[in-house]
């Protein structure tokens, strides 16, 4: 479990494989922007402090204490990330007492945070597993993640107040038919992109992961998006037949067709190059 979680968080942070199983296919993206007047007015207000990146364990613990969250950060799950133009550190959040499952010895997982620099720019990604909050099969709702959003806001810093990001995100549409799985919003301090994807459907306790990503600007977000798409297509091209079959095993017929179409398109692009 620990090995999987670290891989999961590392992949998000180094801009690879985000949602490559097809969770984004056919979904909409919704977002809003803050006007120039609103942004300039907010400059006059005292802003949240900007913690030094990559985040230290003490800074994260102080934020957890301020929010009344008794989560622990296991020392053996802290991971340094250094790859190409990415430098940072990953911290995992777990419960001090509860276990993952009834007969499990693994502490309950809440999520984790990765912080550092991507091509010299500050970047933070905070992620949560809905199953850690007992949200089995529950529809996505912004209010369920208010504390997590505020935590990310405090750890990134520079915003006009702790609830700025939550206010902006809570105005964005959440579809009843589950068609919207990505949201993006311009803020008084940088840009925020939220992504949701399903957990392993082979378990009886289906849930979802939610990633909240902070960038210095919309331009940095767009570069990140382009990089993720390039890596995703490369991953599809290099994927083994065994991996394809394992991924498709849990898909319905329509999802399988879309996934195969994406693989074919990725291969065609390589041939065209």
């Amino acid at each position: 479990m620990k090995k999987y979680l670290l891989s999961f968080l590392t992949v998000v942070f180094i801009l690879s494989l985000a949602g490559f199983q097809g969770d984004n296919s056919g979904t909409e993206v919704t977002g809003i922007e803050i006007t120039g007047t609103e942004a300039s007015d907010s400059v006059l207000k005292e802003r949240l402090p900007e913690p030094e990146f990559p985040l230290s364990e003490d800074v994260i613990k102080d934020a957890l204490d301020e929010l009344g969250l008794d989560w622990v950060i296991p020392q053996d799950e802290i991971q340094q990330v250094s790859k190409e133009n990415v430098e940072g550190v990953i911290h995992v959040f777990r419960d001090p007492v509860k276990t993952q499952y009834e007969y499990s010895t693994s502490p309950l997982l809440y999520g984790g945070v990765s912080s550092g620099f991507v091509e010299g720019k500050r970047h933070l990604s905070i992620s949560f597993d809905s199953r850690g909050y007992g949200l089995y099969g529950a529809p996505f709702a912004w209010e369920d993640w208010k504390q997590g959003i505020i935590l990310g806001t405090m750890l990134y810093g520079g915003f006009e107040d702790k609830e700025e990001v939550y206010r902006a995100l809570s105005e964005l549409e959440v579809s009843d038919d589950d068609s919207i799985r990505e949201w993006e919003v311009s803020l008084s301090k940088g840009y925020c992109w939220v992504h949701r994807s399903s957990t392993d459907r082979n378990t009886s306790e289906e849930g979802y992961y939610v990633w909240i990503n902070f960038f210095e600007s919309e331009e940095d977000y767009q570069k990140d998006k382009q990089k993720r798409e390039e890596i995703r297509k490369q991953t599809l091209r290099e994927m083994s037949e065994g991996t394809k079959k394992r991924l498709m095993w849990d898909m319905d017929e329509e999802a399988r067709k879309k996934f195969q179409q994406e693989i074919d398109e990725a291969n065609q692009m390589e041939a065209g190059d």
Side-chain angles (χ1 to χ4, degrees):
M1 179 66 188
K2 291 181 180 179
K3 183 178 180 182
Y4 167 75
L5 174 67
L6 289 175
S7 297
F8 154 67
L9 290 171
T10 304
V11 160
V12 174
F13 188 61
I14 63 176
L15 311 180
S16 64
L17 306 193
F20 82 87
Q21 296 184 26
D23 282 331
N24 297 333
S25 300
T27 60
E28 299 178 19
V29 179
T30 183
I32 59 175
E33 294 185 357
I34 290 179
T35 66
T37 301
E38 292 171 323
S40 60
D41 288 346
S42 66
V43 173
L44 302 177
K45 302 177 183 178
E46 183 177 354
R47 292 177 170 272
L48 298 179
E50 293 185 24
E52 183 179 348
F53 270 28
L55 293 170
S56 69
E57 186 178 352
D58 288 340
V59 167
I60 298 173
K61 285 182 176 179
D62 287 344
L64 293 174
D65 290 342
E66 187 171 340
L67 292 175
L69 299 172
D70 62 350
W71 302 348
V72 296
I73 301 173
Q75 292 296 310
D76 62 344
E77 293 186 273
I78 297 176
Q79 182 177 359
Q80 301 292 326
V81 177
S82 181
K83 183 174 181 179
E84 295 179 357
N85 295 321
V86 177
E87 296 289 339
V89 63
I90 295 171
H91 296 86
V92 174
F93 304 134
R94 291 192 181 273
D95 193 276
V97 178
K98 298 176 184 177
T99 56
Q100 194 73 16
Y101 305 105
E102 184 178 357
Y103 300 106
S104 171
T105 58
S106 178
L108 181 66
L109 168 68
Y110 291 113
V113 60
S114 58
S115 60
F117 299 91
V118 177
E119 296 185 349
K121 301 294 187 68
R122 294 174 85 245
H123 178 262
L124 182 141
S125 178
I126 189 165
S127 56
F128 303 99
D129 185 339
S130 69
R131 295 169 297 182
Y133 304 83
L135 299 173
Y136 301 117
F140 182 87
W142 290 116
E143 54 265 32
D144 289 335
W145 302 107
K146 183 173 182 178
Q147 272 195 313
I149 295 169
I150 291 175
L151 177 61
T153 303
M154 294 169 63
L155 294 178
Y156 191 75
F159 296 103
E160 57 186 35
D161 60 60
K162 297 174 185 176
E163 295 196 13
E164 177 189 336
V165 182
Y166 176 73
R167 288 194 302 270
L169 290 175
S170 62
E171 293 180 10
L172 304 183
E173 178 186 1
V174 175
S175 59
D176 294 332
D177 61 0
D178 204 34
S179 62
I180 299 177
R181 293 194 172 197
E182 290 189 49
W183 300 265
E184 53 190 71
V185 61
S186 181
L187 302 161
S188 69
K189 174 67 178 180
Y191 206 77
C192 180
W193 168 60
V194 179
H195 169 67
R196 177 173 60 89
S197 67
S198 298
T199 55
D200 186 357
R201 297 179 182 85
N202 291 322
T203 67
S204 59
E205 298 176 334
E206 183 179 346
Y208 60 87
Y209 299 119
V210 56
W211 292 273
I212 305 166
N213 301 270
F214 295 91
F215 301 88
E216 289 190 13
S217 67
E218 182 177 1
E219 181 182 3
D220 293 331
Y221 161 71
Q222 294 296 341
K223 289 180 180 179
D224 171 273
K225 183 177 181 180
Q226 181 179 359
K227 180 67 173 178
R228 282 184 285 107
E229 182 61 21
E230 291 172 356
I231 294 176
R232 179 174 180 273
K233 289 177 180 177
Q234 180 180 349
T235 302
L236 289 172
R237 289 194 294 265
E238 297 175 353
M239 191 178 296
S240 68
E241 289 301 320
T243 300
K244 293 175 187 177
K245 289 179 180 179
R246 286 194 296 272
L247 292 173
M248 290 184 177
W249 180 265
D250 194 40
M251 298 179 184
D252 58 30
E253 186 63 27
E254 182 178 357
R256 288 194 191 98
K257 289 180 179 179
K258 287 183 178 180
F259 187 54
Q260 185 60 56
Q261 182 179 0
E262 289 180 332
I263 293 173
D264 293 342
E265 289 175 353
N267 289 330
Q268 288 171 6
M269 287 185 65
E270 183 182 37
D273 294 339

